[in-house]
Amino acid sequence: MSEPTQPVHTTHTVGRTRVLTGAKPTSDLHVGNYFGAIRPAIEASHNPSNEVILMCVDWHGLTDRSKILEPGKYTAAVLATYLTMGFSLENNMIILQSEIPEIPEIAWYLSCVSAVGLLERAHAYKDALSSGKEPTAGLFNYPILMASDIVTFDAQVVPVGKDQSQHLEYASDMVRLFNNAVGRPVLFEPKPLIQSTPLLIGVDGERKMSKSYGNHVPLFAPKKDIEKRIKEIKTDSKGLDDPKDPETCAVFQILKSFGSAEAIEYMEQRLRTGTGYGYGHAKKDLIDEHERVFGSKRELYEHYINNPRELAQKLEPGHTRARQIAATVRQRVRDALNLGIL
Amino acid sequence: MSEPTQPVHTTHTVGRTRVLTGAKPTSDLHVGNYFGAIRPAIEASHNPSNEVILMCVDWHGLTDRSKILEPGKYTAAVLATYLTMGFSLENNMIILQSEIPEIPEIAWYLSCVSAVGLLERAHAYKDALSSGKEPTAGLFNYPILMASDIVTFDAQVVPVGKDQSQHLEYASDMVRLFNNAVGRPVLFEPKPLIQSTPLLIGVDGERKMSKSYGNHVPLFAPKKDIEKRIKEIKTDSKGLDDPKDPETCAVFQILKSFGSAEAIEYMEQRLRTGTGYGYGHAKKDLIDEHERVFGSKRELYEHYINNPRELAQKLEPGHTRARQIAATVRQRVRDALNLGIL
């Protein structure tokens, strides 16, 4: 009989796969974030075979000393966005990392089995070094905190982009090192789900949509700001009646990232046919669709932002459940190390 | 008017100086530990101008992966020893580090303002590297956790040996970096109290008393083991009636480290005079004094070891008070970073 490699008693919910997804609160969210991260997480929350933990990872946002006050500014926006856009709380949780003190505690245990060399080889750390920055210990320890996010919740599946796949390997390494050091399986080893996120183009029609490039379309800005931003989208010089290629049209690509199937099909056909449908018409349709999808929820979003107590109350059952899971895993780890007085 | 450099609102007790002392649970305690650390902390606990927090730092003991199960084994012994030997709980606390989850959380905040280079320059880390060991991230991060021990309790004075003075400088650096990053004094900067601990000689008469050299005299071992160990003490070849030098006599040095003034004076005079007082007599007197000081408390010590619930209950008021302090400091830090939902 072979030794078990995973703990026998876990906090898992029968019939559901626990999926952990993180969202870093480092700026107001835009359509690119919605396309790449928010919508997939919301869809996952509606899959009855999942139990999704969507974690706003504010502690991860602190690792740049000069931007240490940023996460506190954007946390409510992240939480409110997922809630407003329809993340299902029925069998899932939206939680704030900094509400779970078990995470840094378990990170300490992981740090005691992880070689310094492992962290020195992390791509993100090496990139920071080679860019000439003086990295903080927080940046250096980032993979440990991320591994703790995962193991503190017995996460089974962690969807990540390719740029994060090394961190998932590290999490697996740390789980094995810890279980090995204490002589039995205590931490649950997660499965990575490496996803290739197709990038969304920005309003400059050139680069990936990103707040740092200033080429983004916000989600919940005032309507006139959205209109202005969409009207700025760079297009080619084809005339009103020319057939246009949706594949190279940033207006269409942005619509495709969040619009309804009908809106997408309509614009695609009108662009291809061309007749009487210029980029101005397409922008107008994009503005209308943005208003239908996001603008209609602007009031609800702002309500949450202005009433953080109500936001917190909505998320409280999830935090309660998450704290139970974290407390159980913490106790499992402490028992294995025989920590505590009793 | 100059800016304040220390926080205005702290958890300090009027008229008392908060002194933080750590005790690492890495082996059963011996007379050398009593002399160097335990007795000074107990004496400090009886000084009415102090509020001593004696912290059993079990988390610090985990940083060597191959010895990760050790701290859990020795924690009760450390706690019971301080209690048995008369540490006053009246205005002071004996606490267990791993009962205070605020410590690793605040360590994370400190790590986000500390440069990796700072940790790379730590003597203890460099020593580990040069000894050819592969250090864990826990060892690398040790100064951050230690700084967090200090700031989590608004410690005012931290008595340390010279070997730890760099860690105290680091703690001050981190306090300033953090306060600077958030734009106001939030963490309290501790004062180091560098102490030159005179070393106690072991039973081999050569090296510092240390469990790793196997030349130690235990505190609470069975009486016959104590007798055997004391009879092993190396002495010179002076005869029964020769005058003997107490300064070079390990028997006397060990007695001096814990004995009463009377016992010390008596042996010193008898050795100097010599007549009718050989090393055998001195060893017998040392055994008697050991039995009077420690042996008389062996039963109480073993009672605590065998009744951890009672031990925990004795320490509970201190843990409650310590948790209040830690929670207050944590909230101060979180407010400065604007963390949390509300």
Side-chain angles (χ1 to χ4, degrees):
Chain A
M1 230 177 76
S2 67
E3 291 284 320
T5 55
Q6 294 279 38
V8 178
H9 300 288
T10 65
T11 59
H12 296 140
T13 303
V14 176
R16 290 184 188 275
T17 301
R18 188 170 297 150
V19 179
L20 183 82
T21 300
K24 214 164 164 178
T26 43
S27 74
D28 282 325
L29 298 165
H30 54 72
V31 171
N33 303 128
Y34 181 74
F35 177 58
I38 303 169
R39 200 172 66 173
I42 290 172
E43 283 172 1
S45 78
H46 289 276
N47 178 337
S49 68
N50 284 340
E51 180 186 49
V52 179
I53 303 183
L54 187 284
M55 196 195 300
C56 177
V57 289
D58 51 349
W59 276 332
H60 285 298
L62 302 174
T63 60
D64 180 342
R65 187 163 52 198
S66 65
K67 293 182 183 159
I68 203 165
L69 296 175
E70 300 263 297
K73 289 179 195 158
Y74 295 111
T75 291
V78 169
L79 299 170
T81 298
Y82 280 85
L83 198 55
T84 302
M85 292 311 299
F87 185 96
S88 165
L89 292 174
E90 204 183 340
N91 297 296
N92 312 289
M93 301 155 242
I94 298 178
I95 62 171
L96 184 57
Q97 186 186 31
S98 66
E99 295 286 334
I100 312 291
E102 285 83 357
I103 294 174
E105 176 176 342
I106 292 176
W108 177 255
Y109 305 132
L110 296 178
S111 79
C112 290
V113 297
S114 306
V116 166
L118 187 82
L119 300 178
E120 286 172 339
R121 289 189 293 277
H123 302 320
Y125 176 67
K126 289 202 291 187
D127 290 350
L129 272 187
S130 65
S131 77
K133 282 186 200 163
E134 189 178 27
T136 63
L139 185 69
F140 186 73
N141 288 316
Y142 186 107
I144 294 179
L145 197 70
M146 181 170 161
S148 186
D149 294 340
I150 295 167
V151 301
T152 298
F153 293 103
D154 277 341
Q156 291 165 295
V157 169
V158 185
V160 288
K162 276 181 190 155
D163 58 327
Q164 289 282 310
S165 66
Q166 190 194 33
H167 289 152
L168 263 287
E169 287 165 28
Y170 279 17
S172 284
D173 289 349
M174 291 176 198
V175 164
R176 286 181 217 157
L177 285 164
F178 185 86
N179 289 346
N180 200 269
V182 298
R184 56 189 157 109
V186 169
L187 298 177
F188 189 86
E189 189 180 337
K191 272 204 182 62
L193 181 65
I194 310 296
Q195 297 180 319
S196 56
T197 316
L199 296 181
L200 182 61
I201 193 112
V203 300
D204 56 6
E206 283 174 17
R207 289 177 300 183
K208 169 193 169 187
M209 187 181 289
S210 163
K211 205 188 169 195
S212 55
Y213 297 144
N215 66 354
H216 59 294
V217 178
L219 295 182
F220 298 115
K223 194 180 176 199
K224 65 176 174 32
D225 294 355
I226 304 289
E227 283 178 348
K228 185 167 173 281
R229 186 51 66 95
I230 287 177
K231 284 178 182 166
E232 285 168 14
I233 297 175
K234 287 257 173 65
T235 53
D236 59 32
S237 56
K238 293 215 171 70
L240 183 68
D241 292 327
D242 293 334
K244 302 166 190 79
D245 182 4
E247 294 312 309
T248 61
C249 172
V251 182
F252 178 73
Q253 293 302 319
I254 294 171
L255 178 86
K256 220 172 110 180
S257 76
F258 69 82
S260 68
E262 297 74 29
I264 295 169
E265 202 191 329
Y266 176 80
M267 188 185 292
E268 185 166 17
Q269 289 195 346
R270 292 297 308 260
L271 285 170
R272 285 201 196 285
T273 312
T275 332
Y277 194 78
Y279 290 120
H281 297 95
K283 287 177 179 178
K284 166 95 186 31
D285 287 343
L286 177 58
I287 290 166
D288 289 349
E289 187 66 1
H290 188 287
E291 188 61 15
R292 193 187 64 79
V293 174
F294 303 111
S296 63
K297 293 182 169 163
R298 189 182 289 125
E299 212 173 311
L300 178 61
Y301 172 80
E302 284 172 357
H303 178 77
Y304 285 132
I305 296 294
N306 295 325
N307 297 277
R309 194 170 296 274
E310 199 179 317
L311 178 62
Q313 277 165 0
K314 284 265 179 198
L315 306 185
E316 191 44 38
H319 277 105
T320 302
R321 166 103 176 105
R323 286 194 190 99
Q324 285 164 350
I325 296 170
T328 303
V329 173
R330 171 184 184 251
Q331 198 52 53
R332 235 162 57 204
V333 176
R334 291 169 67 89
D335 286 348
L337 291 167
N338 197 25
L339 294 183
I341 307 184
L342 291 176
Chain B
M1 230 176 77
S2 68
E3 292 284 319
T5 56
Q6 294 280 36
V8 178
H9 300 288
T10 65
T11 59
H12 297 140
T13 304
V14 175
R16 291 184 187 275
T17 301
R18 188 169 297 150
V19 179
L20 183 81
T21 301
K24 214 163 163 178
T26 43
S27 74
D28 282 326
L29 297 166
H30 54 72
V31 171
N33 303 128
Y34 181 74
F35 177 58
I38 302 170
R39 201 172 65 170
I42 290 173
E43 282 171 4
S45 79
H46 289 277
N47 178 339
S49 68
N50 284 340
E51 179 186 51
V52 180
I53 303 182
L54 187 285
M55 196 195 300
C56 176
V57 288
D58 52 348
W59 276 332
H60 286 298
L62 302 175
T63 59
D64 181 342
R65 187 164 51 199
S66 65
K67 294 181 182 158
I68 203 164
L69 297 176
E70 300 262 297
K73 289 179 193 158
Y74 295 110
T75 291
V78 169
L79 299 170
T81 298
Y82 280 85
L83 198 54
T84 302
M85 292 311 299
F87 184 97
S88 165
L89 293 175
E90 204 184 339
N91 297 298
N92 312 288
M93 303 154 241
I94 298 178
I95 62 171
L96 183 58
Q97 186 186 30
S98 67
E99 294 288 332
I100 312 292
E102 284 84 357
I103 295 174
E105 175 176 342
I106 292 176
W108 177 256
Y109 305 132
L110 296 178
S111 79
C112 290
V113 297
S114 306
V116 166
L118 187 82
L119 300 179
E120 285 172 341
R121 289 189 294 277
H123 302 320
Y125 176 67
K126 289 201 290 189
D127 290 350
L129 271 187
S130 65
S131 77
K133 282 184 199 163
E134 189 179 28
T136 62
L139 184 69
F140 185 75
N141 288 317
Y142 185 107
I144 294 179
L145 197 69
M146 181 170 161
S148 185
D149 294 339
I150 295 167
V151 302
T152 298
F153 293 103
D154 276 342
Q156 290 165 294
V157 170
V158 185
V160 288
K162 277 181 190 154
D163 58 327
Q164 290 281 312
S165 66
Q166 190 194 34
H167 288 153
L168 262 288
E169 287 165 29
Y170 279 17
S172 285
D173 289 348
M174 290 176 199
V175 165
R176 287 181 218 156
L177 285 165
F178 185 85
N179 289 345
N180 200 268
V182 299
R184 56 187 158 110
V186 170
L187 298 177
F188 189 86
E189 188 180 336
K191 271 201 184 61
L193 181 64
I194 310 297
Q195 297 181 319
S196 56
T197 315
L199 295 181
L200 181 61
I201 193 108
V203 300
D204 55 7
E206 283 174 18
R207 290 176 299 183
K208 169 191 168 186
M209 187 181 288
S210 164
K211 204 187 170 196
S212 55
Y213 298 145
N215 65 355
H216 60 294
V217 179
L219 296 182
F220 297 114
K223 194 180 174 198
K224 64 175 175 28
D225 295 354
I226 304 288
E227 284 177 347
K228 184 166 175 282
R229 185 52 65 98
I230 287 177
K231 285 179 181 164
E232 285 168 13
I233 297 175
K234 287 257 172 65
T235 54
D236 59 32
S237 56
K238 293 217 173 69
L240 183 66
D241 293 325
D242 294 335
K244 302 166 191 79
D245 181 4
E247 295 311 310
T248 60
C249 173
V251 182
F252 178 73
Q253 293 303 318
I254 293 171
L255 179 85
K256 219 172 109 181
S257 76
F258 69 82
S260 69
E262 297 74 30
I264 294 169
E265 202 190 329
Y266 175 81
M267 189 185 290
E268 185 167 15
Q269 290 194 346
R270 293 296 309 259
L271 286 171
R272 287 202 197 282
T273 312
T275 332
Y277 194 79
Y279 290 120
H281 296 97
K283 287 178 179 178
K284 166 97 185 29
D285 287 343
L286 177 58
I287 290 166
D288 288 349
E289 187 67 1
H290 188 287
E291 188 62 15
R292 193 187 65 78
V293 174
F294 303 112
S296 63
K297 293 184 169 161
R298 190 182 288 124
E299 211 173 309
L300 179 60
Y301 173 80
E302 283 172 358
H303 178 77
Y304 285 131
I305 297 293
N306 296 324
N307 297 278
R309 196 170 294 274
E310 199 177 317
L311 180 61
Q313 276 165 1
K314 283 265 180 199
L315 306 185
E316 191 45 37
H319 277 105
T320 302
R321 167 103 176 103
R323 285 193 191 101
Q324 284 164 351
I325 297 169
T328 303
V329 174
R330 171 183 185 252
Q331 197 54 51
R332 236 161 56 204
V333 176
R334 292 169 66 89
D335 286 348
L337 291 166
N338 197 24
L339 294 183
I341 306 183
L342 288 175

